[in-house]
Amino acid sequence: MSFQTIEEVKVYLEKMPMFAVSGAVAARFGLDGILALCDAIGNPQQGLRCIHVAGTNGKGSVCQLLHAIYSKAGYRTGLYTSPHLERVTQRFVVNGEEMPDASLLRFFREHGSAVQQLQPTFFELTTAIAFWHFRQQQTELAVIETGLGGRLDATNVVTPLVSVITSIGYDHMDVLGSSLAEIAAEKAGIIKHGVPVVTGRLPDEAAHVIRQHAKLCSASLFDAATPEPVWDEGRITLMQHSQAKQLLTGFRQPVQRFNVAMAAQVTALLQPLLPVSEADQAGALQEVSALGAFAGRFEQFVSGSDIYYDGAHNPEAFSETLALARKTAAGRKMILVFTLMLDKLTPEMCRLISEFDELFYFEANLERAATFTEIHQQLPKVQPFNAANWPDLKKAVLKPDAILLFSGSLYFYRFAKSLFSGANTDAELFAGTA
């Protein structure tokens, strides 16, 4: 394939096996593949000034915060995150601007033959595209989010200015290990010799492993969660240089206090190299949180109504989402429409999900997704979510006596958002779903 049009590129990408659809069989945990691809396209990762962020939860939010702060401060700042919510180009951002289709096409025109010869995984390919795009855009700083784990993640071919480990919990245990210590060891794999490390709120077992890895790498360790930042309805108080510092945000989720504290600690560490004024930091935090959340994280889908989307897909994240849903509902009925990957169908997730008053399950057309039957066995009160019941459910939640939350996976986002776009009929939207 010669990749003469963006449509050809998109078809090629859509046919690639993805972790989102197939799970670990579509992944390759190791660095040989990404190193070979980077070498073939000129090693754009070399010399890239970056911040590398790993963690079970919170890493996407920390990346968004850092991107906003350094962009506000006037630096040409790249951002690489995953998964994308609607379009693959959303993974590659520079100063808030999504990569244009023309740039993606240019990459494939220049390097499509190497891609076809080396056969990288989808994530290896998007990671290489991110490095290439940031070099093309002459970024002064790039914020890089790991995909899964850290040690063997495709992003782990960079040497960052700062490494960040946001949190560690039980997730992707089939790949990362069955204990917090094992999972922490995989996340700690992003720690590089002499590069400072910033951490968020970690369980003791995981924190011990991170401390040991940092010591072995002669890497200074900065715990942004101690003392714990204080939350007061979006106003966050944290300690820096033994002095209390207050930051005003529009966030609704108390957990964001840890993410803000980590971002603030990173900017403090990089202050000699990449100065950021207090005004720019404060302005960025207020701007990025003006809607109360990041896209896909308790995002209000319909202005003026209580319809939200949150991509929480593990117990630690979903418990925060449940707490915010309760607060938002203020005694009203809570309705959950969710999809769930089979490896997330745990007793604790089921317990949290069952706290909602009404449950509707969308059986996503993904190999990894749990079927309705598998969900119903664990949650007997669940109902199928389909074209037949959606119109009535939509009418019900547009009234002020209930809130509706879509959740369980970020892979559900594009479909859920399309329900409110008006571009298709309800029957057309559900056509082809499992």
Side-chain angles (χ1 to χ4, degrees), residues 138-188:
Q138 298 180 323
T139 58
E140 298 168 271
L141 180 69
V143 184
I144 308 293
E145 178 189 10
T146 60
L148 195 158
R151 182 176 66 93
L152 300 178
D153 188 78
T155 62
N156 201 29
V157 294
V158 296
T159 300
L161 302 174
V162 180
S163 303
V164 182
I165 299 174
T166 59
S167 67
I168 292 172
Y170 291 106
D171 202 2
H172 298 296
M173 295 164 65
D174 57 326
V175 175
L176 302 180
S178 58
S179 70
L180 289 176
E182 289 175 323
I183 296 170
E186 291 298 320
K187 307 287 186 187

Side-chain angles (χ1 to χ4, degrees), residues 302-351:
V302 181
S303 179
S305 68
D306 282 315
I307 300 175
Y308 303 92
Y309 189 97
D310 193 285
H313 56 272
N314 56 52
E316 289 82 2
F318 198 84
S319 63
E320 298 280 352
T321 299
L322 174 61
L324 186 53
R326 283 195 180 120
K327 183 177 181 180
T328 304
R332 293 175 293 160
K333 181 188 294 185
M334 298 192 306
I335 303 171
L336 177 68
V337 178
F338 70 108
T339 194
L340 204 65
M341 302 302 108
L342 184 57
D343 59 305
K344 312 297 183 187
L345 185 57
T346 65
E348 180 62 9
M349 274 296 284
C350 290
R351 183 189 70 78

Side-chain angles (χ1 to χ4, degrees), residues 202-248:
L202 304 179
D204 290 342
E205 182 181 353
H208 174 73
V209 173
I210 300 300
R211 283 195 300 269
Q212 291 299 108
H213 274 70
K215 185 176 180 180
L216 287 171
C217 292
S218 301
S220 301
L221 184 63
F222 298 86
D223 179 3
T226 304
E228 183 172 320
V230 177
W231 171 267
D232 181 15
E233 299 302 319
R235 187 183 299 275
I236 299 167
T237 304
L238 50 87
M239 297 297 294
Q240 273 194 351
H241 307 299
S242 301
Q243 291 186 331
K245 179 178 181 178
Q246 280 199 342
L247 296 169
L248 183 63

Side-chain angles (χ1 to χ4, degrees), residues 11-276:
V11 167
Y12 183 84
L13 291 173
E14 287 170 1
K15 288 182 177 179
M16 292 186 74
M18 294 177 62
F19 183 86
V21 177
S22 306
V25 296
R28 179 164 54 206
F29 300 105
L31 303 182
D32 290 346
I34 183 64
L35 286 170
L37 181 56
C38 283
D39 188 58
I41 66 172
N43 285 309
Q45 83 284 4
Q46 292 180 358
L48 183 69
R49 292 206 301 188
C50 66
I51 301 166
H52 198 192
V53 185
T56 302
N57 296 308
K59 60 183 183 292
S61 294
V62 171
C63 287
Q64 295 278 0
L65 286 166
L66 289 167
H67 172 254
I69 290 168
Y70 284 104
S71 295
K72 182 74 171 178
Y75 298 102
R76 193 149 184 79
T77 309
L79 173 66
Y80 175 53
T81 57
S82 61
H84 56 274
L85 297 179
E86 297 173 90
R87 301 172 300 279
V88 69
T89 46
Q90 291 176 321
R91 296 179 180 229
F92 324 112
V93 174
V94 176
N95 290 134
E97 295 294 325
E98 178 183 336
M99 183 190 209
D101 282 351
S103 294
L104 183 60
L105 177 57
R106 180 185 169 192
F107 174 87
F108 274 87
R109 281 180 171 173
E110 293 180 2
H111 303 296
S113 58
V115 170
Q116 292 177 94
Q117 179 183 353
L118 293 171
Q119 293 292 299
T121 66
F122 183 84
F123 188 70
E124 287 171 344
L125 176 56
T126 59
T127 300
I129 293 172
F131 297 152
W132 175 87
H133 185 55
F134 297 152
R135 173 178 280 184
Q136 295 295 314
Q137 292 294 308
Q138 298 180 323
T139 58
E140 298 168 271
L141 180 69
V143 184
I144 308 293
E145 178 189 10
T146 60
L148 195 158
R151 182 176 66 93
L152 300 178
D153 188 78
T155 62
N156 201 29
V157 294
V158 296
T159 300
L161 302 174
V162 180
S163 303
V164 182
I165 299 174
T166 59
S167 67
I168 292 172
Y170 291 106
D171 202 2
H172 298 296
M173 295 164 65
D174 57 326
V175 175
L176 302 180
S178 58
S179 70
L180 289 176
E182 289 175 323
I183 296 170
E186 291 298 320
K187 307 287 186 187
I190 70 166
I191 299 173
K192 304 296 192 300
H193 185 80
V195 175
V197 184
V198 173
T199 61
R201 180 175 52 173
L202 304 179
D204 290 342
E205 182 181 353
H208 174 73
V209 173
I210 300 300
R211 283 195 300 269
Q212 291 299 108
H213 274 70
K215 185 176 180 180
L216 287 171
C217 292
S218 301
S220 301
L221 184 63
F222 298 86
D223 179 3
T226 304
E228 183 172 320
V230 177
W231 171 267
D232 181 15
E233 299 302 319
R235 187 183 299 275
I236 299 167
T237 304
L238 50 87
M239 297 297 294
Q240 273 194 351
H241 307 299
S242 301
Q243 291 186 331
K245 179 178 181 178
Q246 280 199 342
L247 296 169
L248 183 63
T249 77
F251 289 125
R252 293 189 294 264
Q253 311 100 314
V255 72
Q256 290 290 1
R257 70 192 187 276
F258 295 106
N259 299 329
V260 169
M262 282 182 277
Q265 181 63 71
V266 170
T267 57
L269 287 171
L270 293 183
Q271 195 69 8
L273 180 65
L274 298 166
V276 174

